[in-house]
Amino acid sequence: MKERRGAVGRASGIADQLSAAMRRRQQSRESRVLVYDADGQPRLCRPGSEGHEALLATSERMVALVLERGAASGRKATGGAATRGRRAGGGAAEA
């Protein structure tokens, strides 16, 4: 495809960059579920696939239980297995 030049080409390039940035931002907010097989190899369970929501809910409940248990014992959870996979937005958990 021939590259556009001039104002139209620049505007098109900016629009492409903005749409790519928005896609990246949306992907970073999506919940991710990683399931590890017996050999320790991770498998990504994609949003919308069978079992994704159930696995996500289960993993979030497991993290909540660990955090509650730590709070009850007066200890603070510190980025170990209980919090690994949590993103700043709170939207992801690893199972």
Side-chain angles (χ1 to χ4, degrees):
M1 180 175 158
K2 186 175 180 180
E3 207 173 304
R4 294 182 184 179
R5 295 181 184 211
V8 173
R10 284 190 297 276
S12 176
I14 291 170
D16 289 344
Q17 290 175 355
L18 287 174
S19 65
M22 292 302 291
R23 278 192 304 274
R24 285 190 303 273
R25 185 174 180 181
Q26 179 62 36
Q27 288 173 347
S28 71
R29 292 178 183 221
E30 289 179 352
S31 299
R32 290 181 22 178
V33 177
L34 290 175
V35 180
Y36 293 86
D37 64 17
D39 296 327
Q41 297 299 314
R43 307 270 187 232
L44 178 62
C45 184
R46 297 195 184 279
S49 65
E50 184 179 344
H52 177 265
E53 288 300 318
L55 286 168
L56 183 61
T58 301
S59 63
E60 287 178 342
R61 183 65 184 139
M62 290 170 66
V63 169
L65 288 171
V66 169
L67 294 175
E68 288 170 13
R69 187 174 184 186
S73 68
R75 293 184 304 172
K76 180 179 166 187
T78 58
T83 57
R84 191 176 305 129
R86 287 301 221 176
R87 296 193 180 173
E94 290 187 23

